[in-house]
mmCIF file of all heavy atoms in Angstrom:
data_model
loop_
_atom_site.group_PDB
_atom_site.id
_atom_site.type_symbol
_atom_site.label_atom_id
_atom_site.label_comp_id
_atom_site.label_asym_id
_atom_site.label_seq_id
_atom_site.Cartn_x
_atom_site.Cartn_y
_atom_site.Cartn_z
ATOM 1 N N ARG A 787 -5.298 22.654 -12.252
ATOM 2 C CA ARG A 787 -6.544 21.928 -12.536
ATOM 3 C C ARG A 787 -7.768 22.831 -12.505
ATOM 4 O O ARG A 787 -8.882 22.372 -12.264
ATOM 5 C CB ARG A 787 -6.687 20.722 -11.611
ATOM 6 C CG ARG A 787 -6.600 20.971 -10.119
ATOM 7 C CD ARG A 787 -6.678 19.654 -9.373
ATOM 8 N NE ARG A 787 -7.944 18.998 -9.662
ATOM 9 C CZ ARG A 787 -8.944 18.863 -8.788
ATOM 10 N NH1 ARG A 787 -8.834 19.309 -7.554
ATOM 11 N NH2 ARG A 787 -10.059 18.278 -9.133
ATOM 12 N N LEU A 788 -7.547 24.105 -12.795
ATOM 13 C CA LEU A 788 -8.698 25.007 -12.874
ATOM 14 C C LEU A 788 -9.311 24.940 -14.268
ATOM 15 O O LEU A 788 -8.599 24.939 -15.271
ATOM 16 C CB LEU A 788 -8.276 26.455 -12.607
ATOM 17 C CG LEU A 788 -7.839 26.831 -11.181
ATOM 18 C CD1 LEU A 788 -7.434 28.297 -11.127
ATOM 19 C CD2 LEU A 788 -8.958 26.545 -10.175
ATOM 20 N N LEU A 789 -10.622 24.882 -14.296
ATOM 21 C CA LEU A 789 -11.348 24.900 -15.571
ATOM 22 C C LEU A 789 -12.343 26.054 -15.457
ATOM 23 O O LEU A 789 -13.165 26.066 -14.531
ATOM 24 C CB LEU A 789 -12.063 23.553 -15.767
ATOM 25 C CG LEU A 789 -12.947 23.399 -16.996
ATOM 26 C CD1 LEU A 789 -12.124 23.480 -18.274
ATOM 27 C CD2 LEU A 789 -13.685 22.052 -16.944
ATOM 28 N N ASN A 790 -12.227 27.009 -16.345
ATOM 29 C CA ASN A 790 -13.053 28.226 -16.241
ATOM 30 C C ASN A 790 -12.940 28.844 -14.847
ATOM 31 O O ASN A 790 -13.944 29.270 -14.266
ATOM 32 C CB ASN A 790 -14.525 27.908 -16.539
ATOM 33 C CG ASN A 790 -14.715 27.503 -17.979
ATOM 34 O OD1 ASN A 790 -13.965 27.963 -18.848
ATOM 35 N ND2 ASN A 790 -15.676 26.642 -18.232
ATOM 36 N N GLY A 791 -11.725 28.816 -14.280
ATOM 37 C CA GLY A 791 -11.484 29.444 -12.985
ATOM 38 C C GLY A 791 -11.961 28.668 -11.776
ATOM 39 O O GLY A 791 -11.919 29.174 -10.658
ATOM 40 N N LYS A 792 -12.412 27.419 -11.986
ATOM 41 C CA LYS A 792 -12.935 26.625 -10.858
ATOM 42 C C LYS A 792 -12.299 25.234 -10.840
ATOM 43 O O LYS A 792 -11.864 24.736 -11.877
ATOM 44 C CB LYS A 792 -14.447 26.392 -11.042
ATOM 45 C CG LYS A 792 -15.315 27.577 -10.744
ATOM 46 C CD LYS A 792 -16.736 27.045 -10.633
ATOM 47 C CE LYS A 792 -17.752 28.091 -11.010
ATOM 48 N NZ LYS A 792 -19.034 27.523 -11.334
ATOM 49 N N THR A 793 -12.325 24.605 -9.637
ATOM 50 C CA THR A 793 -11.956 23.189 -9.596
ATOM 51 C C THR A 793 -13.237 22.353 -9.620
ATOM 52 O O THR A 793 -14.249 22.744 -9.032
ATOM 53 C CB THR A 793 -11.164 22.829 -8.313
ATOM 54 O OG1 THR A 793 -11.900 23.303 -7.188
ATOM 55 C CG2 THR A 793 -9.781 23.429 -8.306
ATOM 56 N N TYR A 794 -13.163 21.262 -10.304
ATOM 57 C CA TYR A 794 -14.304 20.337 -10.372
ATOM 58 C C TYR A 794 -13.863 18.997 -9.796
ATOM 59 O O TYR A 794 -13.041 18.302 -10.396
ATOM 60 C CB TYR A 794 -14.779 20.177 -11.819
ATOM 61 C CG TYR A 794 -15.403 21.442 -12.349
ATOM 62 C CD1 TYR A 794 -14.614 22.415 -12.964
ATOM 63 C CD2 TYR A 794 -16.758 21.690 -12.197
ATOM 64 C CE1 TYR A 794 -15.169 23.607 -13.421
ATOM 65 C CE2 TYR A 794 -17.322 22.869 -12.649
ATOM 66 C CZ TYR A 794 -16.527 23.824 -13.261
ATOM 67 O OH TYR A 794 -17.075 24.986 -13.708
ATOM 68 N N SER A 795 -14.372 18.676 -8.615
ATOM 69 C CA SER A 795 -13.935 17.467 -7.903
ATOM 70 C C SER A 795 -15.127 16.635 -7.468
ATOM 71 O O SER A 795 -15.131 16.065 -6.374
ATOM 72 C CB SER A 795 -13.115 17.857 -6.671
ATOM 73 O OG SER A 795 -12.036 18.671 -7.038
ATOM 74 N N GLU A 796 -16.146 16.577 -8.315
ATOM 75 C CA GLU A 796 -17.331 15.802 -7.922
ATOM 76 C C GLU A 796 -16.978 14.322 -7.838
ATOM 77 O O GLU A 796 -16.106 13.835 -8.563
ATOM 78 C CB GLU A 796 -18.451 16.016 -8.955
ATOM 79 C CG GLU A 796 -19.000 17.435 -8.931
ATOM 80 C CD GLU A 796 -19.914 17.744 -10.110
ATOM 81 O OE1 GLU A 796 -20.254 16.826 -10.885
ATOM 82 O OE2 GLU A 796 -20.263 18.918 -10.266
ATOM 83 N N MET A 797 -17.676 13.627 -6.943
ATOM 84 C CA MET A 797 -17.502 12.179 -6.786
ATOM 85 C C MET A 797 -18.875 11.537 -6.946
ATOM 86 O O MET A 797 -19.895 12.188 -6.712
ATOM 87 C CB MET A 797 -16.970 11.848 -5.385
ATOM 88 C CG MET A 797 -15.640 12.480 -5.025
ATOM 89 S SD MET A 797 -14.231 11.711 -5.841
ATOM 90 C CE MET A 797 -13.841 10.392 -4.703
ATOM 91 N N PRO A 798 -18.911 10.254 -7.305
ATOM 92 C CA PRO A 798 -20.216 9.605 -7.438
ATOM 93 C C PRO A 798 -20.917 9.474 -6.103
ATOM 94 O O PRO A 798 -20.247 9.379 -5.060
ATOM 95 C CB PRO A 798 -19.883 8.227 -8.005
ATOM 96 C CG PRO A 798 -18.442 8.040 -7.814
ATOM 97 C CD PRO A 798 -17.812 9.364 -7.604
ATOM 98 N N GLU A 799 -22.228 9.444 -6.125
ATOM 99 C CA GLU A 799 -22.954 9.183 -4.897
ATOM 100 C C GLU A 799 -22.805 7.715 -4.577
ATOM 101 O O GLU A 799 -22.831 6.872 -5.467
ATOM 102 C CB GLU A 799 -24.423 9.556 -5.067
ATOM 103 C CG GLU A 799 -24.580 11.061 -5.027
ATOM 104 C CD GLU A 799 -26.005 11.517 -5.167
ATOM 105 O OE1 GLU A 799 -26.916 10.708 -4.921
ATOM 106 O OE2 GLU A 799 -26.178 12.672 -5.535
ATOM 107 N N THR A 800 -22.626 7.423 -3.302
ATOM 108 C CA THR A 800 -22.328 6.040 -2.942
ATOM 109 C C THR A 800 -23.019 5.658 -1.660
ATOM 110 O O THR A 800 -23.320 6.513 -0.837
ATOM 111 C CB THR A 800 -20.806 5.863 -2.809
ATOM 112 O OG1 THR A 800 -20.528 4.670 -2.104
ATOM 113 C CG2 THR A 800 -20.145 7.008 -2.083
ATOM 114 N N GLU A 801 -23.223 4.345 -1.505
ATOM 115 C CA GLU A 801 -23.832 3.843 -0.270
ATOM 116 C C GLU A 801 -22.796 3.768 0.842
ATOM 117 O O GLU A 801 -23.127 3.578 1.996
ATOM 118 C CB GLU A 801 -24.388 2.433 -0.493
ATOM 119 C CG GLU A 801 -25.593 2.407 -1.401
ATOM 120 C CD GLU A 801 -25.928 0.985 -1.812
ATOM 121 O OE1 GLU A 801 -25.883 0.079 -0.974
ATOM 122 O OE2 GLU A 801 -26.227 0.786 -2.998
ATOM 123 N N THR A 802 -21.509 3.834 0.472
ATOM 124 C CA THR A 802 -20.467 3.727 1.495
ATOM 125 C C THR A 802 -20.334 5.047 2.216
ATOM 126 O O THR A 802 -20.261 6.096 1.604
ATOM 127 C CB THR A 802 -19.117 3.378 0.823
ATOM 128 O OG1 THR A 802 -19.302 2.193 0.085
ATOM 129 C CG2 THR A 802 -18.030 3.177 1.852
#
Side-chain angles (χ1 to χ4, degrees):
R787 54 183 299 251
L788 291 179
L789 176 64
N790 293 330
K792 284 194 208 161
T793 52
Y794 292 88
S795 304
E796 292 169 8
M797 301 286 273
E799 285 181 20
T800 163
E801 291 168 42
T802 304

